[in-house]
Amino acid sequence: MNNCSVYPLSQAVKGAGGKTGNWRTVKPVIDLEKCSGCLLCWIFCPEACIGKNDRSIDYTYCKGCGICETECPKKAIVMVKEEGK
Ligand code: SF4
Ligand code: SF4
């Protein structure tokens, strides 16, 4: 269990930018074998679309910015090109 006491201020919802998943040309894929559960990706994701408990990604709102990949200290996240984009 992680002792992190920081919680995101928002949840992934459709806002002025629409469903931000439509912006994506690359998507993050998490290798849970490498993941230490530090939750930095969950904290830094600007769309609040990474699941705290299971690191699942809500691709409806993930815009493919790659911040999670940059912040992951375990290199457990890789950005993969979306097919057809
Ligand atoms: S690519 Fe950006 S929007 Fe998508 S999960 Fe990572 S930090 Fe969040
Ligand atoms: S930042 Fe990387 S190691 Fe930390 S919870 Fe996310 S995927 Fe796992």
Side-chain angles (χ1 to χ4, degrees), residues 24 26-28 41 44-50 57 61-69 77 79:
R24 204 175 55 245
V26 289
K27 69 177 181 181
C41 57
F44 278 96
C45 175
E47 298 297 331
C49 62
I50 298 179
I57 298 173
Y61 296 102
C62 168
K63 59 189 176 189
C65 65
I67 291 173
C68 54
E69 178 191 48
I77 304 177
M79 301 302 290

